[in-house]
């Protein structure tokens, strides 16, 4: 039997995911050593392999078959737009993708004026403004502190992840519009079915038994088609030019 390989987004999602896996009987002792320099962690008994990757790389590993299963945030799935199945909403890592800025910027959004938008997520921002709001904007890609952009006049608003909103409040910014809710999701590669069914069922059953992981490990719309062995492939819509 070949190994079933999991790619986990580094950080809090990986830690929470391993806690969930342990509750359904999937463990990996090698990952519990904080001093380890190993890149691949193996459970020989269950024929499972795990590795940690930066969040934006997880969908790439899954799409190209280097990993069978990935656990990553919905924000990364939307931004990367890879060909894969999104099968479960794991219900933790919850936050929101929002349009934020100073209060006066609300009128600019309401009247669909040409504005500049700073973000780490240009594809999500473009889809929201062009396809949902039908508002023409100039999108500026940043990698650092996004909240700085409207404060120094680089942009009128930002598109970014909001958890508590405390950073926004401390800097005189507000949530002006919500783009979409976010949480940790399980994704799988095309052609990977039978061995995943058992894990998906155990996760859902555990979710009903233990509410500590938040309200709702749920099957996504793509997960329903996946379980019915549909031939259609779940994906993010093709991006415009």
């Amino acid at each position: 039997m070949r190994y079933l390989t999991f790619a986990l987004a580094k950080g809090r999602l990986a830690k929470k995911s391993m806690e969930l896996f342990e509750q359904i009987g999937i463990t990996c002792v090698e990952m519990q050593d904080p001093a380890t320099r190993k890149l691949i962690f193996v459970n020989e008994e269950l024929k499972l392999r795990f590795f940690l990757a930066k969040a934006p790389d997880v969908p790439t590993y899954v799409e190209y078959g280097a990993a069978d299963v990935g656990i990553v945030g919905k924000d990364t799935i939307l931004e990367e737009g890879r060909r894969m199945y999104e099968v479960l909403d794991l219900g933790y890592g919850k936050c929101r993708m929002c349009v934020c800025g100073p209060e006066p910027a609300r009128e600019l959004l309401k009247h669909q004026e040409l504005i500049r938008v700073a973000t780490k997520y240009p594809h999500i921002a473009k889809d929201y403004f062009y396809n949902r709001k039908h508002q023409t904007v100039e999108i500026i890609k940043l990698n650092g502190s996004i909240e700085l952009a409207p404060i120094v006049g680089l942009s009128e608003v930002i598109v970014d992840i909001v958890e508590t909103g405390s950073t926004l409040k401390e800097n005189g910014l507000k949530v002006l519009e919500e783009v979409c809710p976010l949480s940790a999701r399980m994704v799988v590669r095309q052609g990977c079915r039978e061995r995943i069914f058992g894990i998906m069922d155990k996760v859902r059953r555990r979710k009903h038994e233990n509410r500590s992981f938040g309200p709702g490990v749920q099957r996504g719309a793509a997960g329903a088609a996946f379980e019915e062995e549909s031939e259609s492939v779940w994906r993010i819509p093709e991006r415009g030019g």
Side-chain angles (χ1 to χ4, degrees):
M1 181 186 296
R2 66 181 292 273
Y3 288 98
L4 190 68
T5 302
F6 292 76
L8 308 179
K10 289 181 178 179
R12 287 182 295 175
L13 286 190
K15 181 179 179 181
K16 199 74 173 176
S17 300
M18 291 310 300
E19 290 175 0
L20 176 57
F21 286 153
E22 287 174 9
Q23 292 193 18
I24 63 172
I26 296 176
T27 61
C28 188
V29 176
E30 292 181 341
M31 294 187 72
Q32 298 174 2
D33 180 5
T36 185
R37 292 182 175 272
K38 296 186 71 172
L39 298 176
I40 302 289
F41 307 94
V42 180
N43 181 320
E44 290 288 358
E45 180 182 358
L46 298 177
K47 293 298 181 185
L48 303 176
R49 297 194 307 174
F50 302 86
F51 65 87
L52 304 178
K54 289 188 175 182
D57 293 337
V58 170
T60 304
Y61 283 114
V62 174
E63 179 182 19
Y64 285 94
D68 301 299
V69 183
I71 294 183
V72 71
K74 179 68 172 180
D75 55 303
T76 303
I77 295 171
L78 292 173
E79 184 64 22
E80 294 301 312
R82 296 291 180 175
R83 291 167 57 91
M84 57 191 178
Y85 291 102
E86 178 190 330
V87 294
L88 282 178
D89 179 348
L90 296 171
Y92 51 83
K94 289 193 171 186
C95 49
R96 299 176 293 159
M97 185 70 71
C98 297
V99 180
C100 309
E103 181 59 35
R106 194 182 300 273
E107 290 300 313
L108 301 178
L109 295 170
K110 186 181 299 183
H111 298 295
Q112 297 189 319
E113 296 188 29
L114 176 60
I115 58 174
R116 289 179 293 182
V117 179
T119 185
K120 294 179 183 177
Y121 305 94
H123 295 116
I124 293 175
K126 182 178 180 180
D127 178 69
Y128 179 71
F129 280 101
Y130 282 67
N131 297 331
R132 291 170 58 185
K133 284 179 63 70
H134 306 290
Q135 180 175 356
T136 301
V137 298
E138 180 182 356
I139 296 173
I140 302 172
K141 174 73 161 62
L142 291 179
N143 298 298
S145 178
I146 304 300
E147 294 87 356
L148 187 62
I151 296 172
V152 301
L154 177 63
S155 69
E156 282 76 27
V157 298
I158 61 175
V159 170
D160 202 16
I161 292 175
V162 176
E163 294 185 57
T164 65
S166 58
T167 302
L168 294 174
K169 186 176 181 180
E170 288 177 8
N171 290 280
L173 306 177
K174 295 182 177 181
V175 172
L176 303 176
E177 296 177 355
E178 181 172 325
V179 177
C180 62
L182 305 171
S183 59
R185 308 297 170 99
M186 180 183 288
V187 297
V188 301
R189 66 176 177 83
Q190 297 178 45
C192 183
R193 286 188 166 91
E194 288 80 3
R195 293 184 69 188
I196 299 300
F197 286 150
I199 293 173
M200 289 169 58
D201 288 341
K202 286 182 180 180
V203 169
R204 278 199 291 269
R205 284 199 301 269
R206 188 60 186 175
K207 179 64 196 67
H208 289 304
E209 295 168 2
N210 182 357
R211 294 291 172 178
S212 65
F213 286 91
V217 172
Q218 299 175 351
R219 177 178 62 173
F226 175 86
E227 291 182 349
E228 292 166 5
E229 303 208 14
S230 167
E231 293 303 317
S232 62
V233 177
W234 181 91
R235 72 187 76 177
I236 301 298
E238 296 295 329
R239 297 167 181 152

